[in-house]
Amino acid sequence: MGAGAGCGQGQLFLRSLLFLLLAGTPSSRLAGGQLRYAVPEELEHGAFVANLGEDLGLDVSTLSARRFRIMSRAGARQHLEVNLENGILFVNERIDREEVCEAGGTCLLHLQLLVESPLELYRVEVEVLDINDHAPTFPWQEYVLEVAESAVLGARFPLESAQDPDVGTNSVHTYRLSPNGFFSLEVQTRSDASKFAELVLERALDREQQRAHRVLLTALDGGVPERSGTAHILITVLDANDNVPAFDQPSYGVSLPEDAPAGTLVIQLNATDLDEGPNGEIEYSFSGHAPPRVRELFHIEPRSGQVLLKGHLDYERASLHELYVQAKDRGPSAVAVHCRVLVHLLDVNDNAPEVTLTSVSTPVLEDAPPGTVIAVISVLDRDSGDNGRVSCEVGPDVPFELRSSFRNYYTLVTTQALDREVVSEYNVSIMARDMGSPALLTRSTLTVPVSDVNDNAPHFLQPSYSVYVMENNAPGASICSVSALDPDCQQNAYLSYSIADGHIHGMPVGTYVSINSDSGHMYALRSLDYEQIRSFQIQVQAQDAGFPPLSTNVTVHIFVLDQNDNAPVIVSPMPRNGSVATELVPRSAGPGYLVGTVSAVDADAGLNSRLSYQLLQATDFTLFSLAPDTGELRTLRSFLEQDATRQQLVVQVHDGGQPALSATVSLLLSVVETMPQTLSDFSEFSLPPEASSSSPVTLYLLVSLGSISFTFLLAILILTAIRCRGDHHSHQGDGCSPPRCHCCPGSRPSSDGLKTSNLMAQPPTGTTAATCLDVPGGGPPGYCYKVCLGPESAQSDFMFLKPCSPPRNNEKDPVKRSQLGQHLQVSKQIKQPNMDWLHPSTQRPALKRYQ
């Protein structure tokens, strides 16, 4: 087991070393010479080749011990072998040169000789020599050669060559032909030195005399002994193709509808040939100069001559197709003949009209006159005849029509005036119909937008507006909004609002209200006073931005709603000389005696001016009663001895507003035995009967005019005083006091009138002063007036005069109201009283007494 493994490893080492030596690794033991021997093929086993031991100079006795051997590839045939006893190289098995060396040329066997101890390698080449052991052979033992009877003399017909696996002189050397009277043989040599034979026609053939000829072809090699091979050749004389096909007629004509389907038979062609066999068999095809379009549309059956439709016909593309067809027999040297087929297409109504807008002028102005050209339309139908005649029309219910200018051209024109506000865009349907059967229709839609023209004035959403504004509103507050619409579009519909010029009570309307030009919101610029102005109207204008601009006016009625901002004013009895009103009552007065009537007025309206009278304080409440509606003061019982001779009463008058405002008056009643002839204080401010009963407006006008005149004069005096004081402070330097406003409710009433007015106005230079004037008086509430000066107070003019809100706490201090009642007088700032709620009896406040 161990010895076998060692032997295997030794052989592996020797083989590796051998490969290294073969690769050219130098070795002192390797012989540098090379031996070459020649041996013929087909020698028997054991035939001597060479004495290698002698030629290599080896000791024959040591060959076996040194393992002298021939190296060969695994699986390769061992044609030669070495005898180790004598060193002779001999044939081990039969050598076939044609098998060992398939390719021609020199055939060599390369031997690698190896001897060990020491290791030596020798190379030996053994050339295998060819012997003539093969005869030439033909591929076929007999074959047929066809020769036309019309073949010319000298025509050559190459023959099949014989094959000989031997090489050199042992291969095919020459050819021989058996004797005959028509053909000779010529042997030709190829570039590789191989030989082939050609038949040469030496005599004209005649198929009618002899249809076939038989000859024997022999191939000879150059070996010794000479070997040969033969083949029989049958030469068939073919009939000459001396007749050409002929068509029935040189030209054909056929009609075909353009919508014929593929596969339709167009025409059946027929040509005849007098020859027989292949010379009489005819094949049809398109001639070489047939256009590609014809080959795409048509197909010819080569054997039957049927012309079939292959593609789609189109009359509008080509109404006539010209086919050139050739017919040729299948014989040699066939001659083709031609004919022409004219295919006339019949038009079919397969094309709908085409509508093209060649020129469009849109949008069109809505004020365009009738007959205005909107578009130019062209109509085309690629069919012919009636199939190509087209009529064109527009759809119904559109203000357009088509006018034909010339054939297949139309103009689209307006037929009536357009109105964008009614229809802003028209989709005009244009229908084109041909005269074919069945008729084809094409419908095309043209969109015609109508361009706006400023032909519509704005209109307000309401024919007029009524606005109700509560008096004493804040300046700048929104009071209403007007809105107008313009059916036009874009710039023509952009509206701006403005207030028309006018006057309200002699003042420009722009000093009362303003309007937002974009939104139409209206704003009050001043605080409205129901007692001064109860209603007014203005004209608001809405104007578009078109050219020329159009405008519309609307009347806005503004009604001022009353607010309970005026306290009642007691006009009777009037205190005399700044004291309380006094009255004499006879002690003999019985129950129901009318002592007098307390009369008051309220400048408000409605419930705000409805007055109620109440006995607030009395020395003896069981002695007097006061009518709540009329203000009549009457006795409840007769006077008693223990009753005080001086009865002091406080009467309160309040209106029906929410919250209610009130005024009080103090009365001093003296109980006397006899009545004097003088009038009492109840008649100091009695209204004239004719004024109170018939014309209260006259009284209002007189009081208002006097109040306004007094207010204006008083304001001038105040302004002059402020300016003088401002100049005084400006000369004193940089000390200035902040502006203050002492309004009327904080002032004490005084009998001095203007002397007790609380006037505080110390504005610094460049500021606005607020100055308040307290108009004293026990009856009406005071008013606060703001005198507004500009930044340059020294040069400012009087700009704004606003009354303050009246005090509403008069009902909480009856004593103070009593003191005010003693100084009751008609203030020049009292608003015009409202007599709506006065009882008729209160309009004559004169004292009614018993004499």
Side-chain angles (χ1 to χ4, degrees):
M1 185 75 179
C7 182
Q9 292 178 356
Q11 291 180 355
L12 180 60
F13 172 77
L14 290 177
R15 288 181 182 178
S16 302
L17 180 62
L18 176 62
F19 288 143
L20 290 174
L21 293 175
L22 290 176
T25 303
S27 174
S28 60
R29 306 288 301 276
L30 182 63
Q34 179 173 326
L35 299 180
R36 182 168 183 171
Y37 302 97
V39 60
E41 64 173 335
E42 301 293 340
L43 292 178
E44 297 296 331
H45 174 73
F48 176 82
V49 177
N51 191 342
L52 293 177
E54 181 180 350
D55 294 338
L56 294 176
L58 299 175
D59 186 359
V60 177
S61 61
T62 64
L63 293 179
S64 177
R66 296 180 65 182
R67 299 183 62 188
F68 182 68
R69 63 187 181 273
I70 298 174
M71 301 293 297
S72 61
R73 298 188 307 270
R77 298 179 63 179
Q78 193 73 25
H79 294 286
L80 301 176
E81 189 58 75
V82 178
N83 190 341
L84 298 181
E85 295 179 356
N86 54 18
I88 294 175
L89 181 67
F90 64 92
V91 176
N92 185 42
E93 63 178 23
R94 178 177 168 271
I95 301 175
D96 187 353
R97 179 193 169 282
E98 289 74 27
E99 180 182 356
V100 173
C101 301
E102 295 179 359
T106 303
C107 181
L108 297 176
L109 295 177
H110 299 279
L111 303 179
Q112 306 292 336
L113 302 178
L114 182 66
V115 61
E116 299 178 5
S117 302
L119 181 64
E120 292 180 343
L121 180 66
Y122 300 94
R123 294 179 180 178
V124 177
E125 290 182 354
V126 179
E127 180 181 359
V128 181
L129 301 177
D130 184 45
I131 64 174
N132 191 20
D133 57 343
H134 295 90
T137 58
F138 287 96
W140 301 281
Q141 293 297 318
E142 183 177 351
Y143 61 91
V144 179
L145 176 65
E146 293 181 348
V147 179
E149 64 176 334
S150 60
V152 297
L153 297 179
R156 296 175 178 270
F157 304 96
L159 301 176
E160 288 289 339
S161 299
Q163 300 295 327
D164 193 333
D166 295 328
V167 296
T169 58
N170 295 330
S171 65
V172 176
H173 178 66
T174 187
Y175 291 92
R176 290 177 185 173
L177 187 67
S178 62
N180 64 87
F182 292 92
F183 298 96
S184 63
L185 187 66
E186 288 189 5
V187 179
Q188 303 291 337
T189 303
R190 297 186 180 95
S191 59
D192 59 352
S194 63
K195 304 296 178 72
F196 69 94
E198 289 182 343
L199 280 179
V200 180
L201 182 62
E202 300 291 346
R203 179 181 170 185
L205 299 176
D206 189 352
R207 188 182 67 87
E208 286 74 23
Q209 293 182 2
Q210 187 177 352
R211 292 178 175 270
H213 300 271
R214 290 185 176 271
V215 295
L216 179 64
L217 179 64
T218 303
L220 302 172
D221 59 21
V224 179
E226 184 181 64
R227 293 178 179 271
S228 63
T230 60
H232 294 277
I233 300 176
L234 177 61
I235 302 173
T236 303
V237 180
L238 300 178
D239 182 32
N241 191 18
D242 53 355
N243 293 287
V244 299
F247 283 101
D248 297 340
Q249 56 190 59
S251 179
Y252 297 88
V254 63
S255 297
L256 191 67
E258 64 171 327
D259 60 348
T264 301
L265 177 63
V266 179
I267 191 172
Q268 173 69 61
L269 296 178
N270 185 31
T272 57
D273 194 327
L274 299 177
D275 293 325
E276 296 180 353
N279 294 335
E281 295 178 1
I282 301 174
E283 290 184 349
Y284 301 89
S285 64
F286 287 113
S287 61
H289 55 276
R293 177 63 178 168
V294 170
R295 298 178 185 270
E296 293 176 2
L297 295 177
F298 301 96
H299 168 71
I300 297 180
E301 290 292 336
R303 301 304 298 272
S304 65
Q306 290 182 342
V307 179
L308 303 177
L309 182 61
K310 184 173 67 172
H312 174 69
L313 301 175
D314 190 355
Y315 176 88
E316 290 71 34
R317 184 173 180 178
S319 61
L320 175 65
H321 294 281
E322 196 169 359
L323 283 64
Y324 289 93
V325 181
Q326 66 178 11
K328 184 171 64 173
D329 59 32
R330 303 181 63 186
S333 303
V335 178
V337 295
H338 300 82
C339 74
R340 185 177 68 168
V341 179
L342 298 179
V343 180
H344 299 273
L345 299 185
L346 302 178
D347 184 36
V348 175
N349 191 23
D350 58 345
N351 290 281
E354 299 175 2
V355 178
T356 305
L357 302 176
T358 58
S359 178
V360 180
S361 177
T362 57
V364 59
L365 293 175
E366 63 175 324
D367 62 347
T372 300
V373 177
I374 304 302
V376 177
I377 302 170
S378 62
V379 182
L380 174 64
D381 194 321
R382 295 189 297 132
D383 293 325
S384 61
D386 290 340
N387 296 333
R389 277 197 292 271
V390 180
S391 63
C392 197
E393 60 184 7
V394 297
D397 302 328
V398 292
F400 303 97
E401 68 177 2
L402 289 175
R403 295 179 182 176
S404 178
S405 52
F406 48 93
R407 189 173 183 270
N408 291 340
Y409 278 87
Y410 298 87
T411 56
L412 181 67
V413 299
T414 59
T415 58
Q416 64 187 35
L418 306 178
D419 190 349
R420 191 205 65 83
E421 289 71 37
V422 177
V423 180
S424 62
E425 184 178 87
Y426 292 93
N427 291 320
V428 182
S429 178
I430 301 172
M431 294 170 290
R433 189 192 312 270
D434 60 25
M435 304 298 178
S437 179
L440 298 180
L441 174 67
T442 297
R443 190 185 303 271
S444 179
T445 301
L446 172 62
T447 301
V448 181
V450 181
S451 179
D452 186 46
V453 174
N454 193 24
D455 57 347
N456 290 280
H459 66 274
F460 285 91
L461 300 182
Q462 301 179 20
S464 63
Y465 292 84
S466 296
V467 181
Y468 297 90
V469 181
M470 187 66 70
E471 66 170 331
N472 300 320
N473 59 293
S478 176
I479 58 175
C480 71
S481 177
V482 296
S483 180
L485 297 178
D486 195 321
D488 295 323
C489 67
Q490 298 180 355
Q491 182 178 353
N492 297 331
Y494 178 76
L495 301 181
S496 60
Y497 300 91
S498 62
I499 297 177
D501 294 337
H503 291 81
I504 300 174
H505 290 198
M507 297 293 291
V509 68
T511 62
Y512 279 83
V513 291
S514 65
I515 190 170
N516 187 305
S517 60
D518 295 327
S519 63
H521 290 289
M522 296 180 62
Y523 305 91
L525 297 181
R526 61 168 62 184
S527 180
L528 301 178
D529 191 350
Y530 175 83
E531 288 72 34
Q532 293 181 4
I533 180 171
R534 298 194 177 188
S535 65
F536 58 91
Q537 64 183 25
I538 60 175
Q539 293 290 323
V540 176
Q541 181 184 75
Q543 179 175 292
D544 58 31
F547 183 81
L550 301 178
S551 62
T552 301
N553 292 353
V554 69
T555 301
V556 179
H557 300 276
I558 299 177
F559 298 94
V560 181
L561 300 179
D562 183 43
Q563 191 178 35
N564 192 24
D565 58 344
N566 293 282
V569 177
I570 299 176
V571 296
S572 176
M574 297 294 291
R576 181 181 301 173
N577 297 326
S579 62
V580 296
T582 60
E583 181 61 37
L584 301 179
V585 181
R587 183 173 292 272
S588 60
Y593 175 80
L594 179 61
V595 178
T597 302
V598 179
S599 298
V601 294
D602 195 319
D604 294 323
L607 290 176
N608 296 331
S609 65
R610 185 169 186 174
L611 302 180
S612 297
Y613 299 86
Q614 179 184 1
L615 188 59
L616 193 62
Q617 293 181 6
T619 303
D620 188 355
F621 282 99
T622 63
L623 188 57
F624 299 98
S625 67
L626 185 65
D629 294 330
T630 61
E632 293 180 349
L633 183 63
R634 296 181 182 271
T635 59
L636 291 175
R637 59 179 175 81
S638 300
F639 288 96
L640 302 178
E641 290 297 334
Q642 63 270 23
D643 291 333
T645 58
R646 298 180 66 85
Q647 297 287 333
Q648 188 168 356
L649 307 177
V650 177
V651 177
Q652 182 188 57
V653 183
H654 62 84
D655 55 28
Q658 291 295 330
L661 301 180
S662 62
T664 58
V665 62
S666 297
L667 301 179
L668 183 59
L669 303 181
S670 298
V671 181
V672 296
E673 297 297 335
T674 59
M675 294 295 294
Q677 298 299 322
T678 60
L679 294 175
S680 67
D681 289 339
F682 278 92
S683 60
E684 289 293 329
F685 194 74
S686 60
L687 296 176
E690 63 277 7
S692 60
S693 61
S694 62
S695 181
V697 178
T698 303
L699 177 60
Y700 297 161
L701 293 178
L702 291 176
V703 174
S704 299
L705 182 59
S707 300
I708 293 173
S709 300
F710 177 75
T711 302
F712 180 73
L713 179 59
L714 189 59
I716 295 299
L717 294 176
I718 294 173
L719 179 59
T720 303
I722 292 174
R723 293 182 63 178
C724 293
R725 186 163 184 162
D727 292 340
H728 175 71
H729 281 284
S730 63
H731 290 299
Q732 288 180 355
D734 53 358
C736 62
S737 61
R740 296 177 296 169
C741 180
H742 297 274
C743 292
C744 317
S747 63
R748 300 290 300 173
S750 172
S751 60
D752 295 2
L754 185 58
K755 291 180 181 181
T756 61
S757 298
N758 188 359
L759 182 60
M760 297 295 294
Q762 298 177 355
T765 303
T767 62
T768 301
T771 302
C772 296
L773 174 61
D774 179 23
V775 180
Y783 282 78
C784 176
Y785 293 91
K786 289 184 180 180
V787 180
C788 300
L789 305 178
E792 298 81 8
S793 60
Q795 290 84 18
S796 295
D797 296 331
F798 177 74
M799 297 182 64
F800 191 72
L801 190 63
K802 177 182 178 184
C804 291
S805 298
R808 300 185 179 180
N809 59 351
N810 42 20
E811 68 277 3
K812 297 180 182 180
D813 192 357
V815 177
K816 183 177 178 181
R817 296 303 298 170
S818 175
Q819 294 174 354
L820 290 176
Q822 297 175 2
H823 303 281
L824 183 61
Q825 58 180 351
V826 180
S827 173
K828 291 183 173 58
Q829 294 301 320
I830 295 178
K831 298 183 180 180
Q832 184 65 37
N834 192 318
M835 306 295 290
D836 296 341
W837 292 91
L838 291 180
H839 193 274
S841 61
T842 64
Q843 297 179 5
R844 290 183 175 87
L847 179 63
K848 298 181 180 179
R849 64 181 67 189
Y850 295 99
Q851 299 294 332

